[in-house]
Amino acid sequence: MHRIVDDRRMNLREHAVLMAAYNRWINAQVYAAAARLPATAIAEDRGAFFGSILGTLNHLLIADTIWLHRFATHPAGFAALEPIRTTAPPRDLRATAHADLPSLRTAREQLDGVIDAWVDELSEADLDHVLAYANTKGVASRRRFGSLVMHFFNHQTHHRGQVSTLLTQAGVDVGVTDLLMLIPTLDID
């Protein structure tokens, strides 16, 4: 896991490192909790925006992959994103990348490794770049890269919160999910 820095002096790059560590940590918890349910319960439509626990977890994998494809166009040419650059980007945010939890979990762990390696390459200057990209409908945008990176991590948190609720409704406790668990306690001056 990444070393979490003293947040009294945390810059945006260091915040991205913290969020990548949180992403890996909480994904491990969420997938472990989901694995306690039978496959039918994971795939059951529960009326959520992406239907099921499996549908929502698939959406997270798809959306992260789409964003990483966009991030791979950054002029810094992040080497960690090479595995992303060499695959076609998903086209549908509702696509099922993996039909079962074990294969989805393996893909998630691999993608989280890419995310960890990518944030390790980020510099504060990279985050000031304006990134031009198009959404899945082809609508062009230009936005500050640092803000897009924060959106990337916030989007994950949003949908993992939905999964946490679905798991709770199915009788499975995910445990503590707060980012606070990864923020170091500082000595009182």
Side-chain angles (χ1 to χ4, degrees), residues 128-150:
D128 286 334
H129 176 75
V130 174
L131 188 72
Y133 68 94
N135 69 15
T136 56
K137 294 180 177 151
V139 177
S141 288
R142 289 176 40 87
R143 297 192 174 150
R144 187 172 161 268
F145 190 64
S147 297
L148 294 174
V149 170
M150 291 303 107

Side-chain angles (χ1 to χ4, degrees), residues 52-96:
S52 64
I53 293 165
L54 188 66
T56 306
L57 291 173
N58 263 293
H59 168 70
L60 272 167
L61 185 80
I62 295 290
D64 283 359
T65 302
I66 289 169
W67 276 109
L68 290 172
H69 266 279
R70 294 170 185 160
F71 296 167
T73 67
H74 190 288
F78 307 111
L81 296 182
E82 192 57 32
I84 300 295
R85 265 191 286 282
T86 59
T87 62
R91 298 277 179 225
D92 182 359
L93 290 168
R94 292 186 169 276
T96 299

Side-chain angles (χ1 to χ4, degrees), residues 33-46 52-55 98-103 167 170:
R36 295 197 302 264
L37 290 171
T40 54
I42 295 165
E44 178 184 331
D45 188 335
R46 297 177 180 275
S52 64
I53 293 165
L54 188 66
H98 297 275
D100 62 90
L101 189 67
S103 63
L167 287 166

Side-chain angles (χ1 to χ4, degrees), residues 92-121:
D92 182 359
L93 290 168
R94 292 186 169 276
T96 299
H98 297 275
D100 62 90
L101 189 67
S103 63
L104 184 59
R105 185 180 200 169
T106 298
R108 179 78 257 173
E109 289 168 353
Q110 290 169 348
L111 193 63
D112 287 348
V114 169
I115 293 168
D116 286 344
W118 163 65
V119 297
D120 282 344
E121 288 183 56

Side-chain angles (χ1 to χ4, degrees), residues 22 25-34 36 160-161 163-165 167-168 171-179 181:
Y22 174 69
W25 174 74
I26 195 62
N27 279 339
Q29 276 189 226
V30 165
Y31 276 83
R36 295 197 302 264
R160 273 191 306 258
V163 172
S164 178
T165 297
L167 287 166
T168 300
V172 177
D173 181 9
V174 176
V176 176
T177 61
D178 290 336
L179 172 64
M181 298 307 296

